[in-house]
Amino acid sequence: MKKLNWGILSTSAFAQRSFIPAAQESPVANVSAISSRNLSNAQEVAKKMGIPKVYGSYDEVINDPEIDVIYNPLPNHMHVEWTAKAIKAGKHVLCEKPLFINPEEARELIALRDEYKVKVGEAFMVKSHPQWQKAREFVASGVLGIPSMYIGSFNYYNDDPKNIRNIEQYGGGALWDIGCYTVMTSRYIFGENPVSVVASVHKDPEFKTDILSSVILEFPNEKRAQFSVSTKTAKYQRVHVLGSEKILEIMIPFNAPIDRPSVIKINPGDILFEKEEKIIIDTCNHYVHEVEDFTRAIENDTEVPVTLEDAYDHSMIINAIFKSAETRQWVDIFPG
């Protein structure tokens, strides 16, 4: 694959911790530039991480003619605006999730993507991890029998009022931050969209963001996903997929370690786990795979792992979850 030049919007802590090192590790990416509205911040990060170009505005990196791809890890409420600007500059864009808080904004970006003939994707690195690809293969091939239920949990504790995840107007809250993973992976495992939802959402009285949500998604053909997410619970994550014959368990589904193998377990519903099978997935960095999958889509002019249409569906589902919690009723997700 051709090595592409990437420009980074902002000096986000997440980008510094996870994405930039992975892109620098990949043989198909060159992290050429970083930008910040505070030039000194950008200079400091660039020096620390060995990034050659530094810009004091997002527009400058977007308009750099040597940049091929923009990575957008800005706060949630800024995703659409700056992704649109990058597309109009003729750049491919990988934008952090959730790309859309308001699903109505998807139409504009889809039209721009098609007009400028660039690749635009929502950054769900888990979809590039071999453990999820293997799990989907097991489900689709009938290893579990007839699949019927996805059960997930994703939680952490964060009570910092200054943290962006706890700021309502910036798109904070558990569902937009981590619930999107359970929404996306349940769709991925079952290979289709849910049709309706019922949910309970508890909001923090001070932050006004959701801090504990319990959700049931109804899929076609008698399949369901049920999950809980919380930003005020001890760190924990796990996914089970139940079939008519066996159960699949992904031990660390979302923050898969990059320094040791990942583990999938399959057992025939034996609560003593005497017949449990362990599938060991070789050590890898899903952010590296994400960069390479996105680059491959650009080079081969194929579909990106998580399309704008997928991002629209994720937004529709999460908004339906909130509507169900408010009305305390089942809600149709994609009303005809």
Side-chain angles (χ1 to χ4, degrees), residues 68-89:
D68 302 301
V69 189
I70 293 294
Y71 172 64
N72 181 355
L74 292 167
N76 293 346
H77 68 297
M78 300 171 71
H79 284 172
V80 171
E81 175 189 359
W82 287 99
T83 296
K85 288 184 177 182
I87 294 172
K88 290 175 182 177

Side-chain angles (χ1 to χ4, degrees), residues 117-130:
K117 302 187 186 309
V118 293
K119 299 297 180 182
V120 186
E122 189 174 32
F124 276 108
M125 73 294 182
V126 293
K127 197 170 183 180
S128 293
H129 198 294

Side-chain angles (χ1 to χ4, degrees), residues 16 25 100 102 142 206 246 295:
Q16 293 182 55
E25 180 183 336
F100 305 115
N102 178 1
E206 177 186 355
K246 294 182 180 180
T295 302

Side-chain angles (χ1 to χ4, degrees), residues 84 87-88 107-117:
I87 294 172
K88 290 175 182 177
R107 188 175 303 165
E108 174 196 358
L109 284 196
I110 290 171
L112 286 173
R113 175 201 64 191
D114 295 345
E115 177 184 353
Y116 287 89
K117 302 187 186 309

